[in-house]
Amino acid sequence: MTGIDMDSLLVVNRGEIALRIIRACRRLGLRVVCAHSEADRDAAWLRLADQAICVGPAPAAKSYLNIPALMAAAEVTGAGLIHPGYGFLSERPEFARAVEAAGRVLVGPSSDVMAMMGDKVQAKRAMLATGVPCVPGPDSVLPDDLANVRRIAAEIGYPIILKAAGGGGGRGMRVVHKDAELADALVVTRQEASRFFGNPGIYIEKFLQKPRHVEIQVLADRHGNALWLGDRDCSMQRRHQKLIEEAPAPGIDRALIAEIGARCAASCREIGYTGAGTFEFLYEDGQFHFIEMNTRIQVEHPVTEMVTGLDIVAMQIDVARGNALELTQDQIRCDGHAIECRINAEDPETFAPGPGRITAMHMPGGPGVRVDTHAAAGAEIPASYDSMIGKIIAHGPTRAEALARARAALAEARIEGVPTNIALHRQLLDDPGFSAGGVSIHHLERWLTERRASDG
Ligand code: ADP
């Protein structure tokens, strides 16, 4: 049996985030091992790792989600640190528990805190208790009897939204516009909650009609220190999937953001949160309303890295190793503006995933341009996984300059062999609404509807 090596990290993820984690390990001088599926056997990032270990066939349930196989990989390779990336097992408390039980360290919060923040009702209760503002509505699951639920809904005022306590990925939510729709909506949402999330608990909130999605990045160590590393605006979404993200959120009073950020950091200290995390808020009419916490690194972390100059992935590994944060809050600065475009292999009209082999690929560069991708000519975008090819990030001293650099970068980008959304991004970067800054979470869907209408 191999021992547990705390200078050795196992990546239990794939694609661009696996490569991003490898880069952070190189920077920290750690040995890095990548667990992979049979479908990724020839993937380029594996060649940059010190060791690659196949954990199962292509379906994620048998490889990237296969806890016994991944724990066996940690055992045979001796890796003491385990990085889950985003998606897959990154927010599964049962995986965090398995890692802890094996005497290893997950790059993330403890399993208990992860479980608490993964239950949206418990998370909301914790936020209210620590002074983080939430969407109006009770911090408990709904009672069974309709009369009581109707009373609660009337108190909040329609429209309201019903949400599964165990929900995620934009599922298990239903907007209700009037009392007459409530009874049916309750039945269907309860059924979905049980079926999809194995937890019938649902709760109720005021439905905000034109909010922006604004989030706060936090980082906390195991010594009681917590920092907030600025904010991001991720309002450009289609079906709750973010497409363009930026830092900082344009046009919001910086003093208000600083107050919310400080509360998020304080909340981390109070609930014993450790690692990198994101507090997600809906922002409307000058007010922040917490909706959920992501207890992992996020796809859009590079925009924060660009404006702060920090390596958040290296820092989250560093705190997982038990090191104390070296920076203090007054040393965190936000310099200029950064915009990220997620490049997906997908049909530009239907958004259906477009897996296949990339035959030619050219990515942009130049001042302020960063490309995070594992792909290159010859790479396979497998049908089994998410269709993201990578991210193009542009940074500039002002938002206008960041936008100009993003436009130039997207104009230079070429990917052949699979369909991509590069042309869509170029149109969006020219959209007067987005260019002006501060659009709501409905802007992109509305823009797409108008485009379809004018095409038809
Ligand atoms: P998930 O975990 O499924 O992503 P969230 O709670 O983060 O669920 O909500 C996903 C999205 O649903 C939000 O980004 C927002 O677009 C919408 N949403 C959630 N709660 C509300 C609300 N109270 N009012 C308006 N929109 C909401």
Side-chain angles (χ1 to χ4, degrees):
M1 197 183 112
T2 326
I4 298 179
D5 177 4
M6 284 299 165
D7 294 323
S8 181
L9 183 146
L10 177 70
V11 182
V12 297
N13 211 302
R14 64 177 305 283
E16 70 90 19
I17 195 64
L19 177 56
R20 177 70 189 84
I21 298 164
I22 293 170
R23 287 176 174 152
C25 290
R26 290 284 168 254
R27 153 77 185 70
L28 295 168
L30 300 175
R31 195 174 85 91
V32 55
V33 184
C34 282
H36 67 89
S37 72
E38 285 169 12
D40 286 330
R41 194 180 289 284
D42 298 321
W45 72 85
L46 299 177
R47 292 195 287 275
L48 296 171
D50 295 296
Q51 191 180 350
I53 181 163
C54 186
V55 291
K62 300 204 161 140
S63 48
Y64 295 106
L65 293 172
N66 183 345
I67 296 177
L70 293 167
M71 293 313 299
E75 175 107 21
V76 299
T77 61
L81 299 159
I82 300 184
H83 200 310
Y86 51 67
F88 293 128
L89 293 171
S90 61
E91 292 185 292
R92 298 271 190 92
E94 65 270 31
F95 181 60
R97 257 178 239 123
V99 172
E100 288 162 5
R104 292 179 158 80
V105 174
L106 187 80
V107 178
S110 70
S111 58
D112 288 346
V113 173
M114 187 188 285
M116 174 172 78
M117 298 314 280
D119 179 311
K120 293 182 171 190
V121 171
Q122 282 189 52
K124 189 165 183 176
R125 201 171 296 149
M127 290 305 106
L128 287 171
T130 55
V132 175
C134 293
V135 184
D139 60 347
S140 50
V141 294
L142 286 172
D144 287 330
D145 64 306
L146 181 61
N148 258 321
V149 178
R150 290 175 75 173
R151 186 182 49 74
I152 297 167
E155 269 169 28
I156 298 171
Y158 288 92
I160 56 97
I161 182 167
L162 299 174
K163 296 167 94 168
R171 295 196 307 172
M173 294 186 286
R174 186 158 278 94
V175 181
V176 184
H177 295 276
K178 50 180 193 283
D179 181 81
E181 296 167 359
L182 186 62
D184 287 348
L186 271 171
V187 173
V188 185
T189 312
R190 276 216 173 90
Q191 281 170 354
E192 283 179 1
S194 300
R195 186 151 28 103
F196 296 143
F197 310 112
N199 173 358
I202 56 173
Y203 66 109
I204 188 170
E205 278 180 357
K206 177 90 187 158
F207 179 69
L208 305 175
Q209 307 209 38
K210 47 173 178 39
R212 291 168 61 182
H213 176 118
V214 180
E215 57 187 35
I216 301 282
Q217 174 74 54
V218 294
L219 184 64
D221 67 18
R222 292 168 199 265
H223 305 274
N225 305 303
L227 301 170
W228 68 280
L229 307 180
D231 55 304
R232 294 185 285 258
D233 189 321
C234 313
S235 300
M236 291 289 275
Q237 306 180 357
R238 180 182 167 271
R239 300 206 173 153
H240 303 307
Q241 298 297 313
K242 298 166 184 168
L243 195 62
I244 302 179
E245 302 101 339
E246 60 185 304
I252 300 181
D253 176 20
R254 299 318 295 171
L256 175 60
I257 298 220
E259 188 192 316
I260 297 294
R263 275 174 199 258
C264 293
S267 181
C268 288
R269 288 187 282 269
E270 281 172 51
I271 64 177
Y273 189 85
T274 52
T278 301
F279 289 74
E280 294 193 330
F281 292 90
L282 295 177
Y283 173 83
E284 187 175 87
D285 297 333
Q287 283 184 308
F288 278 84
H289 306 278
F290 171 84
I291 44 171
E292 69 163 344
M293 182 176 198
N294 288 148
T295 55
R296 53 171 168 81
I297 193 73
Q298 283 188 289
V299 175
E300 60 269 28
H301 75 275
V303 290
T304 302
E305 294 187 327
M306 296 291 268
V307 295
T308 58
L310 300 172
D311 181 338
I312 298 173
V313 180
M315 290 169 87
Q316 70 166 164
I317 295 171
D318 213 43
V319 298
R321 300 178 81 206
N323 295 324
L325 284 165
E326 285 171 12
L327 290 174
T328 53
Q329 190 65 51
D330 57 350
Q331 292 174 300
I332 310 293
R333 34 179 35 90
C334 175
D335 187 9
H337 202 94
I339 296 174
E340 172 180 280
C341 296
R342 297 191 190 192
I343 309 300
N344 300 326
E346 65 190 16
D347 184 285
E349 299 297 325
T350 65
F351 297 96
R357 189 171 294 280
I358 296 176
T359 52
M361 181 158 163
H362 170 82
M363 281 290 114
V369 175
R370 164 173 167 180
V371 177
D372 276 21
T373 183
H374 60 292
E380 181 78 22
I381 304 297
S384 313
Y385 314 115
D386 187 89
S387 61
M388 195 168 74
I389 300 173
K391 305 165 321 201
I392 297 177
I393 308 111
H395 178 238
T398 61
R399 186 171 187 269
E401 184 61 26
L403 265 173
R405 286 176 173 176
R407 287 190 195 106
L410 269 291
E412 197 185 318
R414 292 270 179 286
I415 297 173
E416 288 166 25
V418 294
T420 77
N421 59 357
I422 291 175
L424 172 67
H425 275 296
R426 294 186 65 188
Q427 290 178 312
L428 291 173
L429 292 172
D430 282 335
D431 164 53
F434 176 67
S435 296
V439 297
S440 88
I441 57 173
H442 305 298
H443 183 80
L444 175 56
E445 300 255 15
R446 239 177 251 141
W447 184 93
L448 288 166
T449 308
E450 281 164 23
R451 185 181 70 164
R452 268 193 302 275
S454 64
D455 285 354

